[in-house]
Amino acid sequence: MFKKSTLIIKKPLVVLIAILLLASVLRVYKVSSLPLGLNIDEVSQGYNAYSLLLTGRDRYGKLFPILFKSYESFQPPLYTYLTVFPMFLFGKTNFSVRFVSITSQLVVVCLTFLIMEKVFSKRKMLSLLSAFVVSISPWSIFFSRYATEASLGLVLILGSIYFLITTERKKLRIITAFLLLGLSTHAYYTEKVVSFLLLFGYTVIDWKLIRDNKKTFIVGFFLFAVLLSPHLYMINKGAFFRRFDQVTYLDSSSFDKFGGKYQGDMFGRFVYIAREFASQYVAYYSPKNLFFIPDSQQGRSVPNLSVFYSWMFVPFLAGIAFLIKEKISKNQKLLLWTMFVSVIPAALSRDAFYTIRTLLFLWFVSLLIGIGIGYFYEKFNRKRTGCLILLIITMLSLFDLHRKYFVMFGYERASAFGGFDKVIADYIKNDEKEVLVDLSERDLATGLRMVYYLDFEPKKFQDEIGYKYLDNYYTGYDVETQYNLGNVQVRPIIWEEDVYKRQLIVGDSISISDSQVLEHKLQLLYEFNFFDGGRSIRVFTTNPLSKCEAGPEMNKDDDKCFHYLE
Amino acid sequence: MKNYAKVSSHIFLVIIVLTSSWTYRLFANASILTTAAILSLAYLIFSLLSKEKKHLSYLAILVNISLLLLTLSGNVDLNIFTTSRVEQDVLIRRFDNYAKDYGKLYMNRYGILYHYKLEPIIYKLEANLFENMDINGYFFASHPRERGTNNEFEKFSAFFLPFFVIGFFATLIYQRKAFIFFVVNLLLSTLYYSNYVLGSVLLYAYFVVFITYGFKICLRKARLLSKNH
């Protein structure tokens, strides 16, 4: 279908460097302040990495955890361990926390080129176009710019695929591939499933190669098994299946809750699960979700922008049509197999179109778009005009991205990333007054963000708060809700006591209503607003004297007022 | 042998039509003329796939245009060209935010025209277009991303989905004319209210045809395989 001559490019390395430069700019520009704060996962990883750097233990005081306890769940460990290095190099900044994600996605751009170069051999244009699509795609940019284990999982799986498809001449590469595959299971949850399915597909597709190089493969499998052994250690503890239990619909309680019309049927549960899986699986291929409607989670999407630009739907279709017509090679078979199975972990969870769980699939979609663009380029008689059209579309797309991510997202999603906590921490950081922050009811991570931004020492945290959770580290799901950080406390307000002390009180309109402001004689000091049309955070100072003098329920003999009225 | 494939795909076409809840919705809510136009369009497009004849194409275009005229009145999405009070508030807030960052680059006559007039229209047309392309909307009543209205219904059984996918791509690759017909209807459907009680009626015929065509291809492949064995 493609004429090889038209897709040969003279200096692919120069073009690749240009693509990498563009990718770097899009991923690093303003990354410390956009997203403004750190979301719940980022702050947990960031503070754990900081704690590891200073004390060798996580924030609870656990030595080398296999999974990091984080609120009601557990985080795969690799990202946090790797973040210790940027923490050491650049200090405790948002950039350090996001460094591994940024680097991973930049390596993904390189690997895209290398994998496609191998799969489509001499048609370097397709490799470059695919790398280019990955570099400008909203999903890749978005997930580079915040700390997520999914980016690390993606790069390790892609590294493994690259080594798997280049083993023909260098057999030892298979060992590297298996090592990366084993490591990927410690990077992100979906990779625990995908790595096995990839291995199964590879064994079936490349059976002849495996048969001819038994020894190398046995060593590879052995190393893979060794890397999986920590999972075996964890399998009987609650932590291993905790995340799966939180998100799956396979359990009976999910059927009881959402089974609807299938409840009462003999095979009702089976039909419910089959329908749920099929609909979830198909939803990841739906053009509506891929090219128009963003992920419904505020903290995991850009307003009005999905994971791809809407125009990319056309080359996406062309890319699929091309692959259907093409005689599929062995490597292409492996890629297609991986694409089909990459959605399975996400389809087993009840969250609709949960993009972070399907980064590998989104990468494959990017390849199809790249192939589709190559197809149109080849069909177009005037090559220079074709390049110009692509350039104009790219410029318009990047302008759209700038508007929606660098401007609109900055305002509208700041609170989803704990931006309020960051500005509050900056506001109270150098103040020696007593401060009470009541926001943790709405956002569990507020307390830890205060810990992080107010530079609370990890050793102190371990001794004063963390030690309580150490005994049932892998089996308990209890969450720290109250933080006493010297002069700053993070907890719900106790109105009967807190308004009788001189202190600053920080809260939103739910924690401190207007009537409570009047009733308790609070004085407004400052109001933070991100112009997102929603939440605003107010800082008040208490006024115990006025409260004691004027309150209708005031009891002048009360201990709380005695001190002020004397 | 040829007749066998022809007869079985015709039977399959009838099965799809009869098992689709979309068909019964048409009978219940649309006029007889509209229903007849939709069903005959399905048959015409299907015939066009097996035998390319000029008069069939012209007839299909004629029926398609009649269907458009029959269904367009009263079903056009008027929201496309108007903005509600809530939308206005969002537009104003966003414009203020953009203006802070872009300054005069955005705060000029063209910027204002684009932001308040053009972009909302493009967005709504795109929304209708992608809503009509949502596979889950046809096979799973929009599950898992339901729109929370009463008009969600499973138009075809999910068992037909693999045939649809095969038929869709086979049409895209081998039956360009029929695919262009589909694209034109898809674009015209953007003018309809996307949560229209009958669904995107202009596409009914094409969905039925894609499923049948996919079945026909599978049948052909299965016979070839059994022959080789």
Side-chain angles (χ1 to χ4, degrees):
Chain A
M1 197 163 169
F2 283 118
K3 286 177 206 160
K4 285 184 182 174
S5 58
T6 54
L7 294 171
I8 289 172
I9 200 152
K10 280 176 189 167
K11 290 178 181 172
L13 207 62
V14 177
V15 182
L16 181 67
I17 290 168
I19 291 170
L20 273 171
L21 273 175
L22 173 70
S24 308
V25 170
L26 291 170
R27 280 151 186 79
V28 178
Y29 173 65
K30 280 186 175 177
V31 75
S32 284
S33 57
L34 194 72
L36 181 61
L38 294 171
N39 79 1
I40 189 163
D41 296 330
E42 288 183 299
V43 74
S44 177
Q45 284 158 339
Y47 195 67
N48 276 335
Y50 183 57
S51 180
L52 283 167
L53 178 69
L54 297 187
T55 69
R57 291 166 187 266
D58 83 336
R59 67 178 186 267
Y60 298 103
K62 182 84 177 168
L63 193 69
F64 296 118
I66 296 171
L67 286 170
F68 281 90
K69 188 180 178 70
S70 175
Y71 303 100
E72 292 163 332
S73 188
F74 295 85
Q75 291 177 313
L78 206 53
Y79 193 100
T80 308
Y81 284 124
L82 288 176
T83 303
V84 173
F85 299 106
M87 278 283 173
F88 173 73
L89 290 172
F90 311 114
K92 190 169 64 61
T93 61
N94 286 3
F95 175 73
S96 301
V97 180
R98 291 166 183 160
F99 183 81
V100 176
S101 229
I102 298 167
T103 316
S104 300
Q105 292 282 358
L106 286 174
V107 179
V108 164
V109 177
C110 294
L111 282 171
T112 309
F113 175 79
L114 293 173
I115 291 171
M116 289 295 277
E117 194 190 31
K118 177 71 188 163
V119 173
F120 290 93
S121 53
K122 285 177 183 169
R123 290 175 292 202
K124 283 199 166 53
M125 182 64 141
L126 289 187
S127 333
L128 288 169
L129 279 172
S130 301
F132 176 70
V133 170
V134 173
S135 74
I136 63 160
S137 286
W139 71 268
S140 176
I141 296 166
F142 182 79
F143 288 112
S144 305
R145 297 178 62 94
Y146 95 85
T148 168
E149 312 101 314
S151 292
L152 182 63
L154 174 69
V155 77
L156 290 172
I157 280 273
L158 291 186
S160 177
I161 291 175
Y162 174 70
F163 286 114
L164 282 176
I165 62 174
T166 51
T167 46
E168 277 163 11
R169 281 179 210 155
K170 296 170 185 169
K171 306 291 179 223
L172 282 178
R173 285 188 174 203
I174 195 74
I175 292 171
T176 320
F178 278 61
L179 277 174
L180 290 175
L181 208 57
L183 272 179
S184 77
T185 65
H186 295 282
Y188 193 49
Y189 286 108
T190 55
E191 271 66 19
K192 284 181 190 168
V193 182
V194 172
S195 61
F196 278 98
L197 293 169
L198 173 62
L199 207 58
F200 172 75
Y202 181 70
T203 313
V204 173
I205 293 165
D206 237 342
W207 177 244
K208 213 177 149 194
L209 188 78
I210 296 173
R211 208 181 46 197
D212 297 344
N213 299 277
K214 276 180 201 156
K215 276 184 189 167
T216 323
F217 276 94
I218 288 169
V219 175
F221 275 115
F222 175 74
L223 288 172
F224 181 66
V226 167
L227 282 170
L228 292 185
S229 56
H231 298 310
L232 287 176
Y233 171 73
M234 295 298 296
I235 213 151
N236 286 330
K237 301 183 175 16
F240 188 76
F241 286 111
R242 175 64 178 162
R243 191 70 191 130
F244 183 71
D245 292 342
Q246 281 179 318
V247 297
T248 188
Y249 52 80
L250 298 177
D251 56 340
S252 56
S253 64
S254 176
F255 177 63
D256 295 339
K257 216 170 169 183
F258 307 108
K261 62 181 178 183
Y262 303 110
Q263 283 169 350
D265 291 357
M266 193 197 278
F267 299 107
R269 193 164 158 211
F270 173 76
V271 178
Y272 162 74
I273 289 172
R275 185 181 185 269
E276 197 63 32
F277 179 79
S279 63
Q280 292 281 1
Y281 188 90
V282 171
Y284 287 93
Y285 289 82
S286 175
K288 178 179 117 177
N289 298 330
L290 285 173
F291 302 97
F292 189 67
I293 304 272
D295 189 330
S296 49
Q297 288 213 27
Q298 296 259 309
R300 298 221 161 91
S301 58
V302 182
N304 287 6
L305 185 65
S306 191
V307 282
F308 293 100
Y309 305 103
S310 37
W311 63 266
M312 286 181 167
F313 173 65
V314 180
F316 170 68
L317 271 190
I320 298 174
F322 162 75
L323 277 187
I324 292 170
K325 284 181 100 172
E326 177 99 331
K327 199 180 168 204
I328 303 287
S329 68
K330 199 175 65 180
N331 288 337
Q332 286 169 348
K333 267 184 202 163
L334 182 69
L335 284 190
L336 281 175
W337 164 259
T338 317
M339 180 176 98
F340 289 125
V341 298
S342 63
V343 184
I344 290 176
L348 285 171
S349 76
R350 60 173 163 261
D351 305 300
F353 198 64
Y354 202 89
T355 45
I356 198 169
R357 293 189 190 129
T358 51
L359 294 197
L360 183 58
F361 173 71
L362 298 179
W363 179 79
F364 281 110
V365 175
S366 307
L367 299 193
L368 290 172
I369 294 166
I371 294 169
I373 295 173
Y375 170 77
F376 284 119
Y377 181 80
E378 204 270 334
K379 286 272 165 193
F380 207 68
N381 283 330
R382 295 175 182 177
K383 303 295 169 205
R384 280 189 184 173
T385 320
C387 282
L388 189 69
I389 291 171
L390 184 62
L391 185 72
I392 292 168
I393 292 174
T394 306
M395 297 291 280
L396 290 173
S397 301
L398 291 182
F399 178 63
D400 196 40
L401 177 84
H402 192 273
R403 280 173 66 233
K404 288 171 179 168
Y405 182 84
F406 290 90
V407 182
M408 204 197 294
F409 176 86
Y411 288 109
E412 296 187 8
R413 299 288 163 87
S415 51
F417 272 83
F420 277 123
D421 299 333
K422 163 101 173 80
V423 291
I424 290 161
D426 290 343
Y427 182 80
I428 60 177
K429 200 168 188 172
N430 300 317
D431 208 324
E432 286 180 3
K433 281 186 197 132
E434 294 287 315
V435 182
L436 170 60
V437 180
D438 178 4
L439 291 168
S440 47
E441 297 274 295
R442 251 79 61 215
D443 187 348
L444 275 177
T446 292
L448 194 61
R449 282 191 202 105
M450 290 298 153
V451 170
Y452 183 86
Y453 290 123
L454 295 173
D455 300 326
F456 197 70
E457 282 175 37
K459 183 79 182 87
K460 235 173 158 185
F461 189 94
Q462 290 165 5
D463 293 342
E464 291 173 16
I465 303 168
Y467 75 95
K468 295 176 217 163
Y469 304 90
L470 208 51
D471 286 343
N472 54 356
Y473 189 89
Y474 291 124
T475 49
Y477 312 126
D478 39 353
V479 181
E480 63 267 32
T481 49
Q482 301 201 1
Y483 297 78
N484 194 343
L485 315 170
N487 65 323
V488 179
Q489 289 187 64
V490 184
R491 61 169 173 80
I493 300 167
I494 305 166
W495 291 105
E496 297 77 23
E497 292 174 10
D498 292 325
V499 286
Y500 296 99
K501 291 177 203 159
R502 281 189 205 285
Q503 61 181 336
L504 300 182
I505 295 185
V506 183
D508 57 14
S509 57
I510 302 172
S511 49
I512 309 167
S513 69
D514 288 343
S515 62
Q516 283 166 324
V517 173
L518 287 173
E519 185 190 334
H520 299 293
K521 309 289 173 199
L522 301 177
Q523 283 180 334
L524 182 69
L525 285 185
Y526 203 84
E527 186 166 355
F528 297 103
N529 199 321
F530 284 121
F531 310 101
D532 61 354
R535 205 167 165 222
S536 68
I537 306 289
R538 294 181 291 179
V539 182
F540 296 95
T541 177
T542 54
N543 197 342
L545 186 62
S546 301
K547 172 67 186 164
C548 286
E549 279 176 348
E553 80 293 354
M554 179 204 67
N555 177 0
K556 291 185 181 179
D557 297 327
D558 196 311
D559 286 351
K560 286 176 272 184
C561 283
F562 182 76
H563 170 73
Y564 297 104
L565 295 173
E566 201 181 24
Chain B
M1 203 66 81
K2 243 184 177 180
N3 273 344
Y4 173 80
K6 201 177 170 185
V7 171
S8 20
S9 51
H10 273 78
I11 293 171
F12 196 68
L13 179 77
V14 174
I15 291 172
I16 296 160
V17 170
L18 291 181
T19 55
S20 165
S21 59
W22 204 357
T23 314
Y24 298 99
R25 244 192 208 226
L26 289 174
F27 277 116
N29 296 295
S31 69
I32 296 172
L33 206 60
T34 309
T35 313
I38 291 168
L39 294 176
S40 47
L41 182 64
Y43 188 73
L44 280 169
I45 301 290
F46 182 65
S47 310
L48 201 64
L49 293 187
S50 33
K51 252 183 198 173
E52 195 154 312
K53 283 183 179 171
K54 265 192 178 173
H55 73 274
L56 273 181
S57 307
Y58 292 138
L59 201 59
I61 293 170
L62 198 72
V63 176
N64 213 151
I65 292 170
S66 333
L67 182 62
L68 182 72
L69 296 173
L70 282 167
T71 53
L72 202 59
S73 66
N75 298 317
V76 173
D77 186 357
L78 296 172
N79 292 327
I80 293 170
F81 308 103
T82 55
T83 43
S84 66
R85 183 70 61 89
V86 179
E87 287 168 343
Q88 278 286 346
D89 285 348
V90 175
L91 283 174
I92 291 167
R93 197 179 67 230
R94 284 182 174 168
F95 187 82
D96 290 346
N97 292 340
Y98 289 141
K100 268 181 235 153
D101 278 63
Y102 294 131
K104 282 201 169 173
L105 190 71
Y106 211 78
M107 283 174 72
N108 56 55
R109 199 197 308 173
Y110 304 106
I112 292 168
L113 183 76
Y114 176 74
H115 185 85
Y116 286 104
K117 299 282 177 208
L118 213 57
E119 197 182 20
I121 294 174
I122 295 170
Y123 181 82
K124 285 171 186 173
L125 285 173
E126 266 190 307
N128 285 352
L129 177 72
F130 282 103
E131 207 60 67
N132 289 333
M133 285 199 284
D134 183 25
I135 311 164
N136 292 63
Y138 294 93
F139 295 94
F140 300 101
S142 294
H143 185 69
R145 300 188 99 178
E146 288 91 347
R147 288 169 291 178
T149 56
N150 296 326
N151 288 335
E152 303 285 17
F153 65 104
E154 206 166 272
K155 296 171 181 73
F156 298 101
S157 163
F159 289 111
F160 295 140
L161 181 59
F163 298 122
F164 167 76
V165 175
I166 294 165
F168 176 83
F169 283 106
T171 316
L172 168 67
I173 296 165
Y174 304 112
Q175 305 280 352
R176 288 285 163 90
K177 196 182 267 182
F179 197 79
I180 290 168
F181 275 26
F182 168 70
V183 172
V184 171
N185 279 282
L186 186 67
L187 293 175
L188 287 170
S189 292
T190 58
L191 295 171
Y192 285 63
Y193 175 50
S194 65
N195 212 5
Y196 172 34
V197 68
L198 293 178
S200 39
V201 272
L202 289 183
L203 303 180
Y204 173 93
Y206 296 90
F207 269 77
V208 169
V209 169
F210 291 153
I211 296 169
T212 317
Y213 192 45
F215 171 76
K216 201 175 165 182
I217 290 167
C218 288
L219 199 71
R220 205 184 297 155
K221 287 270 172 197
R223 289 187 70 80
L224 264 174
L225 273 174
S226 65
K227 235 184 192 178
N228 290 342
H229 279 286

